[in-house]
Amino acid sequence: MDYLRKVGAIVWKDVTAELRTKDILSSMLVFALLSVVIFQFAFDLRADNVRLVLPGVIWISITFSGVLGLSRSFILEQDRGSMEGLLLAPMDRSAIYFGKFLGNLLFIFIMELVLLPVASVFFNIWLLTPSLILVLVLGTFGFAAVGTLFSALSINTRAREVMLPILLFPIMVPVLIAGVRATGSLLDGETLGDISHWLRLLLAYDAIFFAAAFLLFDFVVEE
Amino acid sequence: MGTSTKRSVADTIWLILAVISAIMILIALYLSLIWAPEASNLPTETERLVQRVFYFHVSAGWVGFFAFMVTAVAGIIYLITKKRRWDFIALASVEIGVTFTTANVISGSIWAKPTWNTWWPWNDPRITSAAVVLLIYIAYLMLRNSIDDPERRARLAAVYGIIGFISVPITFLSIRWWRTIHPAVVGTGSDTSQGGFDMAPDMATALMFSVITFTLLYFVLLRLRVRLEDQREQVEDIKTRMLEE
């Protein structure tokens, strides 16, 4: 219970900081919208059926704008000098990971909540269905789990912002494949039962990488 | 210590192993290019000839996978013991693994051209997985290059090496579900795959020999690369000591 309160404190700290500056969310949202618009221009001329490209468009937009938010997550802490403060706090370091992870997850969810209706309007296909949201939630969970760990990892490198996508994207391939495939099947009118193997893959990915990141986070921030 | 004049027993053994692996590579070449029978069930001559890439292709793929596994294990041991040597092993293993996986991907591509009529079959799960795995470990090397402090570099590289290796089987699985046409080489291929052949006993022998040869070569290279890193560290130490004096 005490542990959860500490986690909650970190999430609350990130949310409060974000409410004051609106740095992360605004850049993520604008980037997500821009990428949808750019994809619309890029594909509109060739694809007769937007259903074919839409799953890819959604997932690429989420991945790219998500990585934008993730990269800020720990860079801000370091640049403000608050990383030391976090590390000195009397608590298990996994609580920092858990709190940061939840904060990142929240920001990406908010971005998706704006992205989906806009994409629905642009591409004229309604995207906010419960089964699609389930796929997005499962995919985003794994993305944020690995992304939060790598965000903490990449602040120690020379090319901080550049390093994160290079480290993250090859590891994200399973999420991207499962996400795009499952989204595509749902758009084609298949049911959750038809895509259950993709859902199981996403679930397994989420569980394995969340556990691994949770265990390894200590070594990343150790000084 | 007298390391410059006298060779230690271990060094002599490794030298002998290096010579043995060189000889074995020649034998493996002979076995796979001349001795092993043709894959007689393949339709064109080009396909039958290029099939012989298979012995080195499979061996290189195996060494790549094995090398990345060693990196993950060395990473775990490094995080527990903090002994520099394990970091050297992890680094050496990734470098060798990337080299062999590249050889695996390129030889696969050469084979794919006459057999599937395309250099880069995205619809083949294994070649695609190998390429993604290659990207993971190129990222590993880039990560190391962008951290100056040796202790921090070792620690973060260990974490990435472990996470990277966890993702290997998941990547294989996901890409396999994504598309499947790669031949199931041993035994009969499935209906969807083309280019498979039934493996004759002599082929299995040549493949086995090739795999063992490549594995020995891996250990020889690993040992040499770790020693190089050891010596580089010694030179650094000597430099710092001289500067201090």
Side-chain angles (χ1 to χ4, degrees), chain A residues 157-158 167 197 219 222-223, chain B residues 82 145-146 148 155 160:
Chain A
T157 64
R158 246 180 284 119
L167 297 176
H197 57 299
F219 296 108
E222 180 181 291
E223 280 305 320
Chain B
K82 303 275 163 174
N145 274 333
S146 69
D148 296 321
R155 190 156 41 80
Y160 192 69

Side-chain angles (χ1 to χ4, degrees), chain A residues 181, chain B residues 116 122-126 128 172-184 190-194:
Chain A
R181 268 302 163 100
Chain B
W116 292 335
W122 277 112
N123 46 8
D124 170 50
R126 284 196 222 176
T128 310
F172 267 77
L173 184 70
S174 63
I175 294 178
R176 175 153 276 274
W177 283 356
W178 183 39
R179 315 211 119 172
T180 304
I181 64 159
H182 198 287
S190 67
D191 294 343
T192 46
S193 63
Q194 330 162 2

Side-chain angles (χ1 to χ4, degrees), chain A residues 146 149-150 153 156-159 163 166-168 170-171 173-174 177 181 197-198 200-201 204-205 208-209 212-213 216 219-223, chain B residues 79-80 82 132 135-136 139-140 142-148 151-152 155-156 159-160 162-164 166-167 170-171 173-175 177-179:
Chain A
V146 186
L149 180 76
F150 286 176
L153 203 148
N156 292 298
T157 64
R158 246 180 284 119
M163 214 56 225
I166 291 175
L167 297 176
L168 185 56
I171 308 263
V173 163
I177 290 177
R181 268 302 163 100
H197 57 299
W198 292 123
R200 267 183 283 132
L201 181 80
Y205 186 100
I208 292 169
F209 280 103
L216 289 170
F219 296 108
V220 170
V221 292
E222 180 181 291
E223 280 305 320
Chain B
L79 289 180
I80 296 167
K82 303 275 163 174
V132 174
L135 286 173
I136 293 176
Y140 173 97
M142 289 179 73
L143 172 69
R144 292 191 71 104
N145 274 333
S146 69
I147 307 171
D148 296 321
E151 189 273 330
R152 177 178 288 171
R155 190 156 41 80
L156 298 183
V159 169
Y160 192 69
I162 295 165
I163 294 274
I166 297 175
S167 87
I170 306 177
T171 304
L173 184 70
S174 63
I175 294 178
W177 283 356
W178 183 39
R179 315 211 119 172

